[in-house]
Amino acid sequence: MATSAAAIPLGRPSTGTASKGLVRFAWAVVGYNVLVILWGALVRATGSGAGCGNHWPLCNGQVIPLAPRIDTVIEFTHRMMVSGATFAILGLLAWTFYATVKGSAARVMAVVSTILLFNEAFLGALLVKLGYVTGNQSVGRVVLLSIHLSNTLILLAALTVTAVVLGTGQMWSSLRNGRNSIIVLFGILATLIVGVSGSLAALGDTLFPSTSLSAAMAQDFATGSPWLLRVRWVHPASAVLAGAFVIWLVAKAWTTRRIPALWVVGLLAFQFGLGLLDMLLLAPVWMQIIHLLGADLYWVAIVMMATGWVWPASPARQAI
């Protein structure tokens, strides 16, 4: 008995379950990263991506810009927020390894989140150094931006899963495999495509604004329109396909995950409403930010529900 007691360091749990403080901190990190994403969208929508020139990590060759323009303030604020997210995720990684046992799912997901964080910083720096900002309409910008946006959403998903499994105390070995997991993976991928295509559609709205809804629709199908406008149809089409997956997942998870399922259904309906309003208003900046906020909340909710269904907590933890 003495030997087994000595094997567990003082102040650490004997299971994968974390303290309430750590779980709350993990969700706070998720929330903060949503704010970083929204501010990044503001950078794009206001054409402030070149506010610090092509310098990185410096801003116009300075650590702190002196007498900055408004676009410099917007871009520099985004960089400072990303720095804050870096410290927060590194803190989550260290705290998770201290507070959980070897083999816990939270450790794996915290490591994945950290890797995605550094990849996020690399892709962001690459966009700046290559000049893929403001009015750049090149194919290279769209490709790299799509990769960057995908990494952003996957990072947010990884942080969400980290917070979920910190609360349930799941072990990595308990991950359920099988056909359902594959279906969920495809559904999450479809939702990811909706998010990325939506951001690209917003970029098209910013670069090629329309004076009316009819003019915007005409642009989408005109042979002479920039190709960024002619692929805007991918966003609503992928949204319908992803919505069908959500209905299937909600039906499967209804008996055991009713409250998360209700949140997902509500946010899905809210998103369709915001998307319609965004289109009718011709995508003003403030509406783009609200629409993106709804998309991020919906993304977090669906990742939570999918995680709880594919990777369920033990009956004892569910009771708690």
Side-chain angles (χ1 to χ4, degrees):
M1 293 296 293
T3 303
S4 61
I8 302 175
L10 185 63
R12 298 192 187 185
S14 57
T15 67
T17 307
S19 66
K20 289 183 179 180
L22 176 53
V23 175
R24 289 170 180 167
F25 177 71
W27 282 115
V29 173
V30 173
Y32 181 77
N33 275 268
V34 170
L35 294 178
V36 174
I37 293 172
L38 295 179
W39 197 269
L42 181 65
V43 172
R44 187 261 312 149
T46 58
S48 303
C52 288
N54 66 342
H55 298 86
W56 193 94
L58 298 177
C59 183
N60 292 323
Q62 301 171 328
V63 176
I64 300 178
L66 303 176
R69 305 183 308 272
I70 184 62
D71 60 335
T72 303
V73 172
I74 294 174
E75 167 65 8
F76 184 71
T77 300
H78 180 59
R79 294 190 182 190
M80 291 299 98
M81 293 178 71
V82 172
S83 299
T86 300
F87 286 111
I89 294 176
L90 290 177
L92 178 62
L93 175 68
W95 194 352
T96 298
F97 266 78
Y98 177 80
T100 60
V101 297
K102 183 179 180 180
S104 66
R107 287 191 175 188
V108 177
M109 295 312 302
V111 170
V112 171
S113 299
T114 304
I115 294 173
L116 289 169
L117 167 69
F118 286 109
N119 192 49
E120 182 83 348
F122 170 73
L123 291 172
L126 205 56
L127 283 169
V128 172
K129 298 300 289 185
L130 294 177
Y132 289 161
V133 291
T134 58
N136 188 295
Q137 306 172 19
S138 66
V139 176
R141 180 189 185 183
V142 174
V143 172
L144 185 57
L145 184 61
S146 298
I147 297 173
H148 183 42
L149 294 170
S150 299
N151 189 87
T152 299
L153 290 176
I154 296 173
L155 170 60
L156 186 60
L159 290 171
T160 300
V161 176
T162 302
V164 170
V165 296
L166 277 172
T168 60
Q170 295 298 84
M171 303 302 289
W172 182 255
S173 58
S174 67
L175 175 62
R176 182 194 298 172
N177 296 312
R179 182 174 60 88
N180 289 339
S181 299
I182 296 175
I183 295 175
V184 168
L185 183 62
F186 275 106
I188 292 293
L189 179 61
T191 309
L192 179 69
I193 293 174
V194 174
V196 174
S197 62
S199 294
L200 293 180
L203 177 62
D205 293 333
T206 301
L207 295 179
F208 310 102
S210 299
T211 56
S212 65
L213 179 60
S214 58
M217 296 183 66
Q219 282 181 318
D220 292 347
F221 299 99
T223 56
S225 292
W227 70 275
L228 189 59
L229 296 182
R230 285 183 283 148
V231 297
R232 282 196 295 200
W233 63 269
V234 174
H235 180 55
S238 59
V240 172
L241 293 176
F245 155 73
V246 171
I247 294 173
W248 174 87
L249 181 58
V250 166
K252 288 288 187 180
W254 184 256
T255 55
T256 58
R257 307 286 296 171
R258 183 164 298 184
I259 293 179
L262 287 173
W263 272 104
V264 168
V265 171
L267 286 169
L268 176 61
F270 185 56
Q271 269 303 94
F272 273 106
L274 287 177
L276 180 61
L277 187 60
D278 191 32
M279 182 177 64
L280 293 175
L281 295 176
L282 301 178
V285 172
W286 63 270
M287 191 64 222
Q288 292 182 36
I289 302 300
I290 295 176
H291 190 27
L292 179 58
L293 173 60
D296 288 338
L297 294 178
Y298 171 69
W299 175 248
V300 169
I302 197 170
V303 169
M304 286 177 60
M305 187 176 70
T307 303
W309 187 64
V310 176
W311 211 342
S314 64
R317 290 300 304 169
Q318 287 179 346
I320 294 175

